[in-house]
Amino acid sequence: KIKNSASLHQFALTDSKTPLTSFMYRLSEAPGLQFFKNVLFVASPQDGYAPFYSARVEVHAKSLRDPKHGSVHLAMVNNLMRPLQDNNVNVVRFEVHFNVQGTGFDGTIKRAAHIMLLESLPFIRHFISMNRDYFE
């Protein structure tokens, strides 16, 4: 079930005939982020699902060498970042590390870190309290 989920195809840019017509590429072209005062990108190098550079909306040398998606990735980063720069939006990137051990039910530490970024209420509460100035 999971391997054929629509969201995985969207993240892999395989939900369309070409990456330039994929949902994620079109989403990168949509306006919205530039209306915020602060945009925070939170990523963990322990996350095995969302590449660290991708979650932080950064260009990575590895992605640029990708003959299939390299230029698309660069265009998506530019699509997202250019409006922020043009509108003087404060962009902050956070690198988060979790104290996760073993494999357990989540399969691997990499999956556990991904889940913790998204669903750990203690982490989210702590993150917001430590960075409350960005949320005012």
Side-chain angles (χ1 to χ4, degrees):
K1 278 197 274 187
I2 293 175
K3 288 183 181 180
N4 289 320
S5 73
S7 61
L8 288 180
H9 285 291
Q10 291 169 343
F11 289 134
L13 308 178
T14 58
D15 61 314
S16 181
K17 289 184 180 185
T18 69
L20 294 176
T21 57
S22 68
F23 174 76
M24 293 301 285
Y25 186 86
R26 288 182 288 124
L27 187 60
S28 78
E29 295 178 308
L33 287 178
Q34 74 271 19
F35 300 118
F36 288 90
K37 180 179 176 182
N38 301 297
V39 172
L40 312 179
F41 294 114
V42 182
S44 173
Q46 296 167 299
D47 185 340
Y49 290 128
F52 185 67
Y53 63 89
S54 181
R56 290 168 51 101
V57 189
E58 295 177 315
V59 176
H60 188 276
K62 178 182 173 184
S63 66
L64 292 178
R65 290 190 300 268
D66 180 346
K68 185 175 183 182
H69 293 119
S71 62
V72 175
H73 179 258
L74 179 61
M76 290 173 71
V77 169
N78 287 331
N79 290 346
L80 290 165
M81 296 306 295
R82 188 176 309 112
L84 301 179
Q85 293 164 349
D86 291 348
N87 290 280
N88 296 315
V89 174
N90 183 38
V91 175
V92 184
R93 292 178 171 92
F94 291 90
E95 180 173 331
V96 178
H97 295 266
F98 295 101
N99 184 17
V100 289
Q101 300 171 358
T103 55
F105 181 74
D106 285 329
T108 66
I109 291 171
K110 293 180 177 191
R111 183 170 190 270
H114 181 78
I115 298 298
M116 289 179 84
L117 275 171
L118 300 173
E119 296 182 2
S120 171
L121 288 179
F123 164 72
I124 294 168
R125 286 184 184 119
H126 179 72
F127 180 83
I128 291 172
S129 72
M130 295 301 295
N131 297 287
R132 74 178 58 155
D133 291 346
Y134 295 119
F135 298 97
E136 294 177 346

